[in-house]
Amino acid sequence: MVVQLLTWRRSRRREPEPVHGVHGLPGGAPERSAGYADPAAAEEFLMMFHAENPAAGPLKSRLREVRAEIARTGTYTHTPGELAFGARVAWRNSSKCIGRLYWRSLRVRDRRHVDTPEGVAVECVNHLRDAAPGRRIRPTITVFAPDRPGVPGPRIWNEQLIRYAGYEMDDGSLVGDPRYGRFTTMLRKLGWPGGPGTPFDVLPLAVSIGGGSPLLSTIPGDAVLEVPLTHPVYPWFERLGLRWHAVPAISNMCLEIGGICYRAAPFNGWYMGTEIGARNLADADRYDLLPTVARAMGLDTGTDRSLWRDYALVELNIAVLHSFERAGVTMTDHHTESRRFLTHLDREERAGRLCPADWSWIVPPISASATPVFHRYYDDRQLSPNFVHHRDSVDRGLGRCIALS
């Protein structure tokens, strides 16, 4: 029998969940003080910008402008060109992202003028629509106002713009994504009534500016591109009722450019199949589907030596790639992306730039040694501009979850 109702029983322990995302993962960075810009970081960035953009005009006059603005206000304002360049280089410098070959193609939506939670929520929805025209995913970032002295910028509490709810039941079971159990509980205590109660209910956006509780905003269905999952060989796979969203938009990382901290800057590339098939759906602390798939395949799950997890994992990933291709939605596979990353690495080296890379994230979670990125080491450094996690941004959501529990 194929199990269609996806529920999980799990421990009730209260401990912090790891923070990660598709195109940027745990990183540390020194906290900025109340929105004040670092003059040295500003100068370093402007020198880089003008060096790589000779048509931008004289560097010395721009440095004088920025020094004067920082002296007067404590911070400065990036030009649209500086902002776009900084966002693209932040992607170029993201050591945990394998898909950086296309960093120059990042579309930058400058929304620094949006200054209300309602406006931020609307633009996040517009981001999701703009990022997937005709089901073809485009790398996109929407940048909202940065923190300024005495004037905090907006915060998006969600880890990604689209994530699925995890409903913690009274009997200890959980329906949906276990990773977001506490976050779902928090949102419900803040007023969200919950969705239909399926394993794939899209969570609302939580946006705040300054202190206090966030505004909760439901994401319209037309802004959520989802792909139902089927298998090219096994008819029973469709009866599992699985699906996944197509735009992996990270929304809780800070875009740091030249000493300026943009706390709300959701950005997306497109999925690599293993991110869904080998992690989101397969991890034991997520949807944990390997036992279900293995049983449906008739595999012997009584011994590890049958390699039932390996067989099930491959078929689950085949289903993800097949389904996205069938739906005409952009996705890449880990073998192709591994080769593309080495092309990117070669280009960066020929340009005289360091290409930071974290081996543990660049190497795919399945078939590692069958990919070319496995067989070498990398120089992993924290460069700027970059996408980083700030401890207070991470703790904001988790702390509220714990307080409301």
Side-chain angles (χ1 to χ4, degrees):
M1 284 288 289
V2 175
V3 179
Q4 289 182 263
L5 181 61
L6 304 178
T7 60
W8 296 266
R9 185 173 301 277
R10 59 195 287 260
S11 168
R12 304 290 290 186
R13 288 184 301 168
R14 298 290 181 184
E15 58 186 28
E17 296 171 336
V19 179
H20 75 273
V22 174
H23 293 294
L25 297 126
E31 299 294 335
R32 300 294 177 213
S33 175
Y36 287 89
D38 179 355
E43 291 194 16
E44 182 179 354
F45 168 70
L46 291 171
M47 292 173 65
M48 177 193 298
F49 174 70
H50 282 261
E52 295 192 35
N53 298 274
L59 171 61
K60 288 185 178 180
S61 61
R62 180 57 177 149
L63 286 174
R64 284 195 298 270
E65 291 176 1
V66 168
R67 288 168 185 152
E69 189 176 356
I70 292 176
R72 186 175 67 254
T73 68
T75 188
Y76 71 106
T77 303
H78 288 127
T79 67
E82 290 166 355
L83 180 69
F85 173 77
R88 290 169 184 146
V89 173
W91 185 12
R92 187 176 82 190
N93 287 337
S94 297
S95 65
K96 297 179 175 69
C97 175
I98 195 174
R100 285 175 274 165
L101 178 61
Y102 308 102
W103 66 272
R104 294 181 187 276
S105 70
L106 180 66
R107 297 175 63 253
V108 180
R109 303 174 73 246
D110 186 350
R111 297 298 184 270
R112 287 176 289 177
H113 61 281
V114 177
D115 59 3
T116 66
E118 294 84 357
V120 171
V122 167
E123 285 300 333
C124 286
V125 171
N126 289 338
H127 175 119
L128 291 170
R129 293 182 175 125
D130 290 348
R135 308 169 81 81
R136 310 307 294 174
I137 311 302
R138 301 186 295 189
T140 303
I141 185 170
T142 299
V143 184
F144 296 103
D147 288 343
R148 300 181 69 88
V151 184
R155 303 285 193 277
I156 301 170
W157 292 32
N158 308 65
E159 185 182 58
Q160 292 193 28
L161 295 184
I162 301 174
R163 276 309 201 197
Y164 296 119
Y167 300 108
E168 296 184 338
M169 313 305 286
D170 291 339
D171 63 357
S173 64
L174 189 142
V175 176
D177 192 340
R179 180 176 175 82
Y180 299 100
R182 284 185 294 169
F183 191 67
T184 300
T185 298
M186 178 195 74
L187 294 179
R188 299 194 73 174
K189 290 184 177 181
L190 289 172
W192 182 51
T198 75
F200 301 99
D201 289 356
V202 176
L203 289 165
L205 295 173
V207 181
S208 65
I209 297 180
S213 296
L215 168 79
L216 302 186
S217 178
T218 300
I219 302 176
D222 71 291
V224 183
L225 176 58
E226 289 182 300
V227 176
L229 302 185
T230 61
H231 194 281
V233 175
Y234 299 124
W236 52 260
F237 196 97
E238 185 174 1
R239 295 194 293 274
L240 292 174
L242 305 176
R243 61 180 185 268
W244 204 260
H245 63 91
V247 181
I250 306 297
S251 52
N252 72 339
M253 296 187 78
C254 172
L255 169 62
E256 286 198 351
I257 303 173
I260 301 293
C261 180
Y262 298 93
R263 298 292 185 110
F267 63 97
N268 71 273
W270 50 72
Y271 270 118
M272 186 166 71
T274 55
E275 293 176 301
I276 300 171
R279 300 303 309 277
N280 296 334
L281 295 178
D283 280 356
D285 60 349
R286 298 293 298 284
Y287 281 82
D288 194 22
L289 283 170
L290 294 186
T292 300
V293 172
R295 286 192 294 269
M297 292 175 63
L299 301 177
D300 178 8
T301 60
T303 173
D304 289 339
R305 292 198 174 196
S306 69
L307 301 184
W308 63 268
R309 293 183 184 86
D310 306 73
Y311 283 109
L313 188 62
V314 168
E315 297 301 337
L316 186 54
N317 279 270
I318 287 173
V320 170
L321 291 169
H322 164 77
S323 301
F324 272 68
E325 183 175 16
R326 182 183 182 188
V329 176
T330 307
M331 171 173 279
T332 187
D333 65 88
H334 52 292
H335 295 286
T336 299
E337 210 58 45
S338 294
R339 292 192 298 270
R340 288 174 177 171
F341 177 74
L342 292 186
T343 297
H344 167 70
L345 183 65
D346 180 64
R347 288 182 182 178
E348 290 300 291
E349 290 175 346
R350 283 190 281 111
R353 293 191 291 259
L354 172 67
C355 180
D358 183 334
W359 190 95
S360 65
W361 285 102
I362 296 300
V363 174
I366 64 172
S367 306
S369 63
T371 64
V373 293
F374 176 88
H375 300 279
R376 58 165 295 166
Y377 293 100
Y378 306 93
D379 194 348
D380 186 11
R381 299 184 194 176
Q382 187 77 10
L383 303 181
S384 181
N386 217 320
F387 295 100
V388 301
H389 278 302
H390 282 291
R391 195 67 251 167
D392 67 326
S393 295
V394 177
D395 288 343
R396 176 185 291 267
L398 293 178
R400 180 60 63 92
C401 290
I402 294 170
L404 291 174
S405 297

